[in-house]
Amino acid sequence: MAKHELQPEFDASFHDALKSTPSAFELLVVGAHVRIRLPIGKFVIGRHPKACHMIFHHLTVSRQHCGISISAKGVRVTDLNSSNGTLVNGSQIHAKTPMQIGDTLKFGAVLLKLREASTDAEGELTPKTENVEIEDDMGSTLPGFAVDVLFELDD
């Protein structure tokens, strides 16, 4: 069975960073109902499995689409001269752009929503169910009911 085009894959350095330096942020992949806990560090998102840390196998995603920088203070994103551009909250970005909790990140057909990472008493991710309403580029509300699925990284 083929993987869902919006189901991300990760390289080994992303796995290692997540184990050693998890951040307080996560991304919800809208449409794939997957949460991605973000580690502290700088990562490339795109389609090329050998050139990116977070890989989306969708033709609308460039080989190296955007860069994302995560620190204890926040998240910044940069377009890497992609074919289809990178949008934060529906606006195309042209420089390093800070993101706030609740902001959306769109590149190609991929739509992500930045959130605070959920934790339980032991510090593990806690699955949640929530209503997700995102505005598309035209200002229309995209209704949807997303069930977060804990995306477990292989050891």
Side-chain angles (χ1 to χ4, degrees):
M1 181 175 179
K3 283 197 171 215
H4 191 284
E5 293 175 325
L6 300 180
Q7 177 77 37
E9 293 179 5
F10 306 94
D11 77 345
S13 65
F14 190 92
H15 286 272
D16 293 344
L18 186 60
K19 289 178 186 176
S20 63
T21 57
S23 77
F25 304 101
E26 67 185 21
L27 292 170
L28 170 68
V29 183
V30 178
H33 312 303
V34 173
R35 293 184 312 156
I36 304 165
R37 180 74 180 259
L38 297 173
I40 291 175
K42 294 179 181 181
F43 304 97
V44 176
I45 301 172
R47 194 178 72 232
H48 196 287
K50 293 184 180 177
C52 299
H53 304 96
M54 189 183 306
I55 301 106
F56 288 88
H57 297 285
H58 196 280
L59 292 177
T60 61
V61 177
S62 293
R63 288 183 187 109
Q64 292 183 314
H65 204 106
C66 62
I68 189 166
S69 176
I70 302 102
S71 71
K73 295 181 180 182
V75 176
R76 292 183 303 167
V77 65
T78 306
D79 184 72
L80 299 177
N81 298 315
S82 63
S83 299
N84 294 320
T86 302
L87 291 83
V88 172
N89 295 327
S91 297
Q92 189 162 2
I93 63 170
H94 302 285
K96 288 182 183 175
T97 303
M99 291 184 68
Q100 305 297 321
I101 298 298
D103 285 354
T104 59
L105 172 63
K106 186 174 190 307
F107 47 92
V110 178
L111 181 62
L112 307 171
K113 184 175 182 180
L114 183 66
R115 305 181 336 169
E116 287 185 55
S118 303
T119 58
D120 63 16
E122 281 115 36
E124 296 297 320
L125 288 175
T126 304
K128 285 183 171 180
T129 302
E130 71 173 28
N131 286 313
V132 176
E133 289 187 357
I134 304 288
E135 283 190 13
D136 65 13
D137 299 342
M138 309 278 274
S140 302
T141 299
L142 303 173
F145 187 76
V147 178
D148 287 355
V149 176
L150 177 60
F151 186 80
E152 296 183 17
L153 301 176
D154 298 329
D155 288 328

